[in-house]
């Protein structure tokens, strides 16, 4: 078996286990749409296990979803602070990963991850980000020659001759008359031909280079859209590994993850059965928690299907009724899941916020009020929970309390004109209107209209109140 490249950093199993707790929580909050907190959870987990490639991948999924939903990059001062290079390679890696999570298309951040992962000996992370950087740079309007050269040199030092050859080839396209580079391209190709093979059976980086198919599998996993054949193959491979050592929690986790990615009911049922057996045997709630996540993911897919049917034919009253009934059923099920989670983790403000949201969606406003009040103690949720709390007071008939709550939230909130402040002002206007304080309500609606003229029904409300 060949020697690993010098400087490879192995992660202790204890740290891997601790990191998974952060990743599990991050996955849970990401499902609620709280992408910023999910990013924080994944970055904290990666501080313990920077070599968890699946965590890197899911964090990137969160990043892309956040961007698609209108998420903005970090502010200038935060970007400057995180981009400042220190002597700590791992911390630099985490900083660039966070920057990339908030702005997933910046190749400079990808390069920062690559270089610091390489210097820190986190070679699995190198092999994860390398292809992403190469593709992003190649697709750029003006590809950066130096980024291809850096990729080539990093791959060379890892003995990844095929990848080094590919990077060199991209560089040659930009400088086709560079004779020295042309010679190196030939040498890299020859080196690849002479040293085909792998590092044998082992974990992590060793596994990714086990044989000629190892790198191909890693590249396959980095594709945004995975084929059904690949997903089934991953299920079979991880199942075989799990069956060889059912006591290995890491193998169990990979097997369950592979089953989940198929999004096929029969595979998901297998995953839930395994998780339930593990939970009953060990009483470790993390297994029950993952089972609940799968169940809620199934409900989310079902709701999307029903919603598409309603959108396809808005006149179908039966489809509308079926959809609304299912939405209520989903909220009831999710409420039970998050209440169970909160019993196991009483200090988990994310689970508490999810409970309050489901109570609100079920129009159980008076039940939701005390839960939102508790959640507001967490700075992450203070403003968001405050708006929900104001609405819950309003819909419960506690108009004065709604007015006071929303007024305080607006005074505390530092940003003006963003999505959250528009929501605050709108509901403050609604509360003032309900209290018959018409001038104040008009002023709130007018402010919203000046920020976004077509926001909700502010135009109609302003005209009606002024008339």
């Amino acid at each position: 078996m060949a020697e690993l490249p010098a400087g490879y950093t192995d992660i202790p199993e204890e740290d891997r286990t601790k990191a998974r707790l952060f990743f599990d929580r991050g996955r849970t909050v990401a499902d609620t749409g709280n992408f910023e907190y999910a990013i924080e959870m994944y970055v904290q987990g990666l501080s313990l296990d920077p070599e968890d490639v699946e965590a890197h991948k899911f964090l990137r999924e969160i990043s892309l979803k956040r961007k698609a939903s209108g998420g903005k990059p970090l502010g200038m001062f935060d970007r400057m602070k995180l981009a400042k290079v220190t002597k700590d390679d791992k911390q630099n890696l985490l900083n660039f990963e966070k920057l990339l999570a908030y702005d997933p298309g910046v190749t400079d951040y990808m390069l920062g991850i690559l270089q610091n992962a390489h210097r820190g000996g986190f070679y699995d992370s190198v092999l994860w980000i390398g292809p992403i950087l190469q593709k992003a740079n190649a697709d750029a309007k003006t590809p950066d020659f130096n980024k291809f050269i850096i990729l080539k040199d990093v791959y060379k030092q890892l003995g990844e001759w095929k990848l080094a050859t590919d990077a060199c080839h991209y560089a040659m396209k930009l400088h086709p008359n560079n004779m020295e580079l042309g010679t190196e391209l030939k040498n890299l190709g020859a080196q690849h031909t002479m040293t085909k093979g792998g590092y044998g059976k082992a974990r992590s980086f060793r596994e990714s280079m086990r044989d000629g198919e190892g790198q191909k599998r890693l590249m396959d996993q980095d594709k945004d859209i995975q084929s059904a054949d690949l997903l089934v193959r991953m299920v079979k491979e991880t199942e075989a590994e799990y069956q060889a050592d059912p006591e290995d929690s890491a193998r169990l986790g990979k097997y369950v993850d592979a089953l989940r990615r198929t999004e096929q009911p029969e595979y998901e049922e297998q995953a839930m059965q395994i998780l339930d057996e593990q939970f009953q045997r060990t009483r470790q709630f993390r297994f029950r928690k993952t089972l609940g996540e799968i169940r809620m993911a199934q409900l989310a897919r079902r709701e999307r299907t029903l919603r598409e049917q309603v959108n396809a034919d808005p006149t179908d009253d039966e489809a509308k009724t079926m959809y609304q009934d299912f939405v209520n059923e989903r909220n009831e099920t999710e409420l039970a899941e998050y209440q169970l989670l909160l019993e196991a983790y009483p200090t988990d403000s994310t689970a508490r916020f999810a409970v309050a949201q489901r109570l609100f969606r079920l129009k159980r406003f008076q039940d939701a009020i005390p839960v939102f009040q508790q959640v507001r103690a967490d700075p992450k949720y203070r403003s968001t929970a405050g708006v929900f709390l104001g609405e819950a007071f309003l819909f419960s008939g506690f108009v004065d309390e709604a007015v006071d709550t929303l007024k305080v939230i607006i005074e505390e909130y530092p940003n003006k004109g963003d999505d959250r402040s528009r929501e605050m002002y709108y509901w403050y206007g609604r509360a003032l209107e309900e209290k018959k304080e018409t001038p104040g309500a008009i002023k709130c609606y007018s402010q919203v209209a000046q920020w976004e003229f077509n926001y909700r029904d502010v135009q109609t409300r302003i005209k009606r109140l002024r008339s």
Side-chain angles (χ1 to χ4, degrees):
M1 185 171 67
E3 293 293 329
L4 283 168
Y8 173 64
T9 299
D10 195 14
I11 308 299
E13 187 62 33
E14 181 181 359
D15 287 346
R16 293 176 184 270
T17 301
K18 291 178 181 177
R20 286 183 67 86
L21 297 177
F22 286 99
F23 300 147
D24 288 344
R25 182 170 297 182
R27 185 182 289 268
T28 299
V29 298
D31 289 340
T32 70
N34 192 348
F35 298 128
E36 286 79 8
Y37 187 44
I39 290 171
E40 291 300 324
M41 288 295 97
Y42 267 84
V43 171
Q44 288 188 45
L46 288 168
S47 70
L48 293 165
D49 183 8
E51 282 288 79
D52 192 318
V53 173
E54 295 303 320
H56 285 298
K57 292 177 184 176
F58 194 76
L59 176 55
R60 184 152 180 83
E61 286 183 26
I62 294 171
S63 170
L64 295 171
K65 289 178 181 177
R66 178 183 176 276
K67 184 176 179 64
S69 66
K72 299 294 191 293
L74 289 170
M76 180 180 68
F77 291 110
D78 287 331
R79 293 200 303 270
M80 291 174 61
K81 181 179 178 181
L82 290 172
K84 186 176 180 180
V85 177
T86 71
K87 294 181 180 180
D88 188 336
D89 295 323
K90 185 172 80 169
Q91 188 59 56
N92 294 335
L93 163 64
L94 297 172
N95 290 347
F96 278 111
E97 185 117 21
K98 185 172 181 177
L99 285 166
L100 187 65
Y102 279 86
D103 204 352
V106 179
T107 55
D108 286 344
Y109 300 157
M110 299 176 191
L111 182 65
I113 295 173
L114 178 95
Q115 291 178 307
N116 285 286
H118 180 229
R119 284 194 292 265
F122 307 121
Y123 298 153
D124 281 321
S125 301
V126 171
L127 295 182
W128 161 71
I129 194 63
I132 297 174
L133 169 60
Q134 181 167 285
K135 185 177 188 305
N137 192 39
D139 292 344
K141 186 175 181 180
T142 307
D144 188 332
F145 173 78
N146 290 326
K147 287 186 172 70
F148 290 132
I149 295 299
I150 292 171
L151 271 168
K152 168 186 68 70
D153 292 340
V154 167
Y155 285 141
K156 279 175 60 178
Q157 293 180 48
L158 296 184
E160 284 286 345
W161 305 112
K162 174 62 169 63
L163 296 176
T165 302
D166 291 343
C168 190
H169 180 72
Y170 275 106
M172 276 294 296
K173 286 184 177 180
L174 298 178
H175 290 181
N177 297 322
N178 189 321
M179 300 299 292
E180 183 177 348
L181 196 59
T183 300
E184 184 173 18
L185 179 60
K186 293 179 182 177
N187 292 337
L188 289 171
Q191 186 70 37
H192 168 60
T193 301
M194 291 187 295
T195 56
K196 287 181 180 178
Y199 283 96
K201 294 182 179 180
R203 291 187 178 185
S204 195
F205 180 72
R206 299 171 178 85
E207 282 185 343
S208 72
M209 302 175 67
R210 181 171 49 197
D211 51 36
E213 289 298 312
Q215 187 60 41
K216 181 178 183 298
R217 285 198 298 272
L218 186 63
M219 294 291 287
D220 285 341
Q221 292 173 40
D222 280 330
K223 293 179 180 178
D224 292 333
I225 301 176
Q226 298 180 325
S227 68
D229 289 342
L230 172 62
L231 294 173
V232 172
R233 189 172 79 230
M234 292 301 299
V235 167
K236 292 180 179 178
E237 290 180 2
T238 54
E239 181 182 17
E241 293 175 1
Y242 167 65
Q243 294 294 346
D245 187 2
E247 299 300 319
D248 188 327
S249 60
R251 297 188 182 197
L252 170 64
K254 289 181 179 179
Y255 180 35
V256 169
D257 286 345
L259 289 167
R260 292 178 65 176
R261 285 196 198 92
T262 65
E263 295 190 354
Q264 297 298 316
E266 61 270 25
Y267 287 120
E268 289 176 327
E269 289 299 326
Q270 290 181 38
M272 288 193 286
Q273 181 178 349
I274 293 170
L275 291 165
D276 185 56
E277 291 172 355
Q278 289 290 331
F279 174 61
Q280 298 299 333
R281 183 176 67 84
T282 66
R283 305 312 297 179
Q284 294 184 29
F285 190 78
R286 61 191 179 95
F287 296 116
R288 178 61 183 80
K289 177 173 173 289
T290 305
L291 187 157
E293 291 171 1
I294 297 173
R295 183 171 292 157
M296 288 190 287
Q298 290 178 326
L299 292 172
R301 291 201 305 271
R302 176 60 177 160
E303 183 182 336
R304 285 196 297 271
T305 300
L306 293 174
R307 186 169 61 247
E308 289 170 359
Q309 292 175 1
V310 171
N311 292 337
D313 184 4
T315 63
D316 190 339
D317 292 334
E318 183 178 350
K320 290 180 182 178
T321 301
M322 184 182 300
Y323 172 69
Q324 190 55 57
D325 289 344
F326 182 82
V327 168
N328 291 334
E329 178 186 339
R330 177 188 176 186
N331 284 320
E332 291 282 6
T333 303
E334 291 185 345
L335 174 61
E337 288 293 336
Y338 283 116
Q339 286 175 328
L340 198 62
L341 180 62
L342 196 56
E343 290 177 10
Y345 305 113
T347 61
D348 189 337
S349 57
T350 299
R352 194 177 303 279
F353 181 64
V355 167
Q357 279 187 310
R358 271 63 185 181
L359 290 169
F360 185 92
R361 292 172 186 172
L362 290 166
K363 303 188 187 306
R364 293 170 55 181
F365 302 118
Q366 293 194 40
D367 292 332
I369 286 171
V371 188
F372 279 127
Q373 288 174 327
Q374 294 171 9
V375 173
R376 286 190 67 204
D378 187 333
K380 293 189 299 293
Y381 295 107
R382 183 163 181 79
S383 58
T384 305
V387 177
F388 274 115
L389 179 60
E391 293 180 58
F393 274 132
L394 179 61
F395 296 143
S396 298
F398 295 92
V399 180
D400 289 339
E401 289 75 10
V403 169
D404 292 344
T405 298
L406 291 161
K407 181 181 179 182
V408 169
I409 290 297
I410 288 173
E411 290 172 349
E412 291 177 344
Y413 193 64
N415 300 327
K416 302 298 179 186
D418 64 4
D419 291 342
R420 188 164 296 171
S421 67
R422 289 195 291 273
E423 187 177 21
M424 291 176 185
Y425 274 81
Y426 175 80
W427 286 108
Y428 187 36
R430 288 283 299 270
L432 290 171
E433 183 179 350
E434 186 70 20
K435 197 177 178 182
K436 309 302 182 186
E437 294 187 8
T438 302
I442 292 175
K443 186 175 181 180
C444 284
Y445 294 144
S446 176
Q447 178 62 82
V448 175
Q450 291 175 60
W451 285 329
E452 184 180 336
F453 190 58
N454 291 323
Y455 188 84
R456 295 182 181 251
D457 57 350
V458 291
Q459 296 180 43
T460 302
R461 290 184 178 275
I462 290 171
K463 290 178 180 178
R464 176 169 52 78
L465 292 176
R466 283 177 175 169
S467 65

